[in-house]
Amino acid sequence: MPNIAIIGYNIFGIGGTTRSNLNLMHEFGHSEYQLTYYNYTEFSKRDVLSLKNKYPYTSKVDFRFFLELYSLEPKQSYDYIFVTREDFFPLAKILRKAYPQAIIIGEIHTPLALLNRKLTGLEYFSCLRVATESIKEKLSSQYGYNRIYVQTVSLAHLNWNFKEQVTNSNLLVHSRFDDSQKDISYTLRLLNQLVNNEDQKQVKLYLSGAGPDLGKYKKYIKNHQLKNNVTISQRKLPQNFTAISTSHYETLGYSIIESVAQGHRVLAYYGDDDVVYENLADVPLITWLSKDLKEDTPRVLAALRARPTLAEFRESQAALEKLAGHYLKKFLANTQLYQGVKFDLTKITSVDVPTCRKQIEAILGSPLAPWYIKLYRHLKKTPLKIFLPK
């Protein structure tokens, strides 16, 4: 039975890479692969039980702590190792020494414009996986590295379900509130244009998410008298809506695809690097934005007035299945090209371990949970009656 290791930051959290890693478990778990997941942040047995209850396909996954990977004498062997965060790339040197025969895959999830220009450890990877041909070309040119294959991340979690939409004036953003990447400020400017300059008072915007720029958005809403047109909530969301994404960069755009899978029309920006459009240009339920207010305003109004049709839904599903379907078959075909690549292991010694750890922790901090997190977890597991007077 093939043995696979997946190395990630925090499978118990939220985010696109977490979703991608869960989908990897779904794909390989259903094919009877033996799976081990190494989590960078410290976790508890309660975290594991909760995850396995929520996602039954993870029930046989062996969850282990990242620090175990610094051993040059492993207790088991792996056929494939996924390194799913670029900050972990220095670890490839240690992994190669410990698992000389494994196919070690570095996954590029970060948009190239935001990627560290000093990626280390590339020479110890069997190959890198990227989302599009344009990323492959730029990465190869920038880093002089050619063992790269193109494959979209798995979409195994999608539940395709078309429901008739009633005509509505609801826009929905489901995103992290981080303007440096997600640029929700442009969506707010677009709403201001519609409501205050085009007199489209009926348009409502729902912001679903959390993040550091919430205060910035609230200030804009107050200053432009948009309080009656914006709802910020994780729960009170309309059933009928048009999703909108104006992110600067997305290597795929899970929130866009998830909305399409539920039969919603989506307004999406091409991306500063055009990668979103490169991936999703053939999806009929997506209307593309240019981030020019004069051009985008009529596009938004037209999208709100046009109810999604069953034909558009089926064409969108077919386009996405063509893009990301048959994940395992494509994966095996892509990675077999890198079987038997030779690596120089003579330069790797135990001295490299502290150096590697220092590099990673300089960016991500210690993987060990601080005392107050441990106290919080302890209190969650302790019955309240212990603290109550008898």
Side-chain angles (χ1 to χ4, degrees):
M1 181 184 294
N3 203 339
I4 291 178
I6 303 170
I7 303 169
Y9 180 72
N10 185 18
I11 198 66
F12 309 101
I14 58 174
T17 305
T18 295
R19 180 72 265 171
S20 173
N21 287 342
L22 286 168
N23 284 356
L24 279 178
M25 295 179 197
H26 190 281
E27 295 281 1
F28 289 109
H30 278 280
S31 300
E32 300 300 321
Y33 283 71
Q34 187 173 339
L35 289 166
T36 304
Y37 185 89
Y38 288 91
N39 203 67
Y40 185 77
T41 59
E42 199 171 7
F43 58 94
S44 66
K45 291 181 179 179
R46 186 188 184 99
D47 292 328
V48 174
L49 288 173
S50 177
L51 188 77
K52 290 186 175 184
N53 285 333
K54 186 174 181 180
Y55 302 109
Y57 55 83
T58 66
S59 61
K60 295 182 180 180
V61 177
D62 182 17
F63 291 92
R64 307 184 74 87
F65 192 28
F66 186 92
L67 292 183
E68 296 179 36
L69 293 167
Y70 289 123
S71 172
L72 292 175
E73 297 180 0
K75 296 179 181 179
Q76 56 185 311
S77 62
Y78 295 113
D79 298 288
Y80 301 94
I81 301 174
F82 288 87
V83 181
T84 68
R85 182 169 178 139
E86 296 89 354
D87 297 327
F88 298 151
F89 278 19
L91 186 65
K93 189 173 187 177
I94 308 303
L95 294 174
R96 180 53 66 196
K97 182 72 171 182
Y99 308 98
Q101 304 304 319
I103 292 184
I104 303 176
I105 303 139
E107 294 221 317
I108 302 293
H109 287 280
T110 303
L112 287 189
L114 307 178
L115 194 61
N116 188 333
R117 291 187 175 274
K118 294 183 178 179
L119 284 180
T120 59
L122 293 182
E123 65 270 32
Y124 296 103
F125 283 101
S126 303
C127 52
L128 302 181
R129 183 207 62 82
V130 299
T132 68
E133 287 291 343
S134 69
I135 294 176
K136 177 180 177 179
E137 291 174 8
K138 292 175 184 176
L139 192 71
S140 178
S141 174
Q142 186 169 327
Y143 293 93
Y145 187 87
N146 296 316
R147 294 197 301 272
I148 305 172
Y149 71 91
V150 177
Q151 184 171 356
T152 305
V153 293
S154 168
L155 301 180
H157 71 295
L158 293 183
N159 179 23
W160 290 89
N161 183 26
F162 180 77
K163 294 180 181 178
E164 289 286 348
Q165 298 279 304
V166 299
T167 302
N168 68 87
S169 299
N170 300 323
L171 294 170
L172 172 67
V173 170
H174 184 71
S175 173
R176 184 173 72 257
F177 296 161
D178 176 4
D179 230 42
S180 64
Q181 184 171 348
K182 302 302 181 181
D183 197 17
I184 296 173
S185 287
Y186 179 75
T187 301
L188 289 170
R189 293 200 301 273
L190 192 52
L191 180 71
N192 181 59
Q193 177 70 21
L194 288 162
V195 173
N196 293 322
N197 297 334
E198 303 292 333
D199 200 33
Q200 300 292 330
K201 307 293 185 184
Q202 78 284 0
V203 178
K204 308 290 183 183
L205 174 64
Y206 293 80
L207 298 180
S208 174
D213 288 319
L214 176 58
K216 176 181 179 179
Y217 303 149
K218 287 183 175 179
K219 183 177 180 180
Y220 185 94
I221 291 164
K222 180 181 179 181
N223 290 344
H224 292 81
Q225 293 81 49
L226 293 170
K227 195 170 183 179
N228 293 332
N229 297 86
V230 183
T231 298
I232 302 174
S233 173
Q234 294 275 14
R235 299 178 181 177
K236 297 180 181 179
L237 302 177
Q239 290 187 339
N240 299 288
F241 61 83
T242 295
I244 182 168
S245 171
T246 52
S247 295
H248 289 295
Y249 304 102
E250 296 283 359
T251 49
L252 180 63
Y254 269 127
S255 64
I256 296 172
I257 293 171
E258 287 162 354
S259 293
V260 169
Q262 293 301 302
H264 297 285
R265 195 173 298 283
V266 179
L267 291 152
Y269 171 54
Y270 296 100
D272 289 357
D273 53 5
D274 289 329
V275 166
V276 178
Y277 184 74
E278 187 177 359
N279 273 319
L280 305 177
D282 295 331
V283 179
L285 279 175
I286 299 177
T287 298
W288 295 98
L289 301 176
S290 65
K291 286 200 177 178
D292 180 302
L293 287 176
K294 289 184 179 180
E295 292 180 359
D296 289 341
T297 300
R299 290 172 182 164
V300 173
L301 290 174
L304 288 171
R305 292 165 183 159
R307 291 195 299 175
T309 66
L310 181 58
E312 287 177 304
F313 176 78
R314 287 175 174 167
E315 288 179 36
S316 297
Q317 183 177 10
L320 287 171
E321 287 180 348
K322 180 180 179 181
L323 176 72
H326 308 290
Y327 179 90
L328 185 54
K329 181 180 179 181
K330 290 177 182 177
F331 167 78
L332 293 173
N334 284 323
T335 55
Q336 73 174 0
L337 300 174
Y338 308 106
Q339 295 272 9
V341 176
K342 302 298 182 182
F343 299 91
D344 182 2
L345 305 181
T346 59
K347 298 179 181 179
I348 308 173
T349 69
S350 59
V351 177
D352 292 309
V353 174
T355 301
C356 171
R357 182 168 179 174
K358 185 177 180 180
Q359 281 182 284
I360 293 173
E361 292 187 10
I363 299 172
L364 299 177
S366 172
L368 297 169
W371 67 267
Y372 51 85
I373 295 295
K374 292 180 179 179
L375 176 62
Y376 169 74
R377 288 171 174 166
H378 175 71
L379 292 175
K380 280 183 70 177
K381 293 186 287 185
T382 305
L384 184 60
K385 64 183 181 181
I386 290 178
F387 300 99
L388 296 177
K390 294 182 179 179

